[in-house]
Amino acid sequence: GDTDSVRGALKRMEYAGIAPNIATYSTLVKVLCDAGNMDAARATIQEMKAVHIPPNVVTYTTLIKGLCDRHDMAGAYALVEEMEQSGVSPNIVTYNTLIKGLCNQGDTEGAVAMLQGMKGT
């Protein structure tokens, strides 16, 4: 499927001497999330760290969206924590993704609380 073709493209790049970059890895994370392969998406984040290409807010938010889409809010919150510990601050898209995930799960109170926390009230 798409996952295999993206992984194959990554390998072909490496064989051609073209090093993957943040955009390459972020795209891979998105394809893996879209395919529902959350374990591989998480592993890609770890692989990025291992090859000294630290994930950015886009990479993390992409995985957070994948977790939210699967109603794994605990995983999404844990990833936000990991993100912050890595020195990457969530942005408005990250928070909107979390709020949408909470709403989709029926947790409107949690969504309102997060929104109020964003406003600092």
Side-chain angles (χ1 to χ4, degrees), residues 60-73:
Y60 279 115
T61 301
T62 300
L63 182 49
I64 289 166
K65 180 184 183 309
L67 293 166
C68 289
D69 287 349
R70 281 148 195 84
H71 303 288
D72 182 1
M73 295 309 296

Side-chain angles (χ1 to χ4, degrees), residues 20-68:
N21 60 22
I22 188 74
T24 311
Y25 279 110
S26 293
T27 300
L28 178 57
V29 168
K30 179 173 181 1
V31 169
L32 292 167
C33 287
D34 289 349
N37 195 340
M38 304 313 295
D39 289 339
R42 282 188 176 115
T44 301
I45 296 269
Q46 297 312 313
E47 179 182 330
M48 292 173 71
K49 292 177 180 180
V51 297
H52 307 290
I53 300 174
N56 63 16
V57 68
V58 173
T59 315
Y60 279 115
T61 301
T62 300
L63 182 49
I64 289 166
K65 180 184 183 309
L67 293 166
C68 289

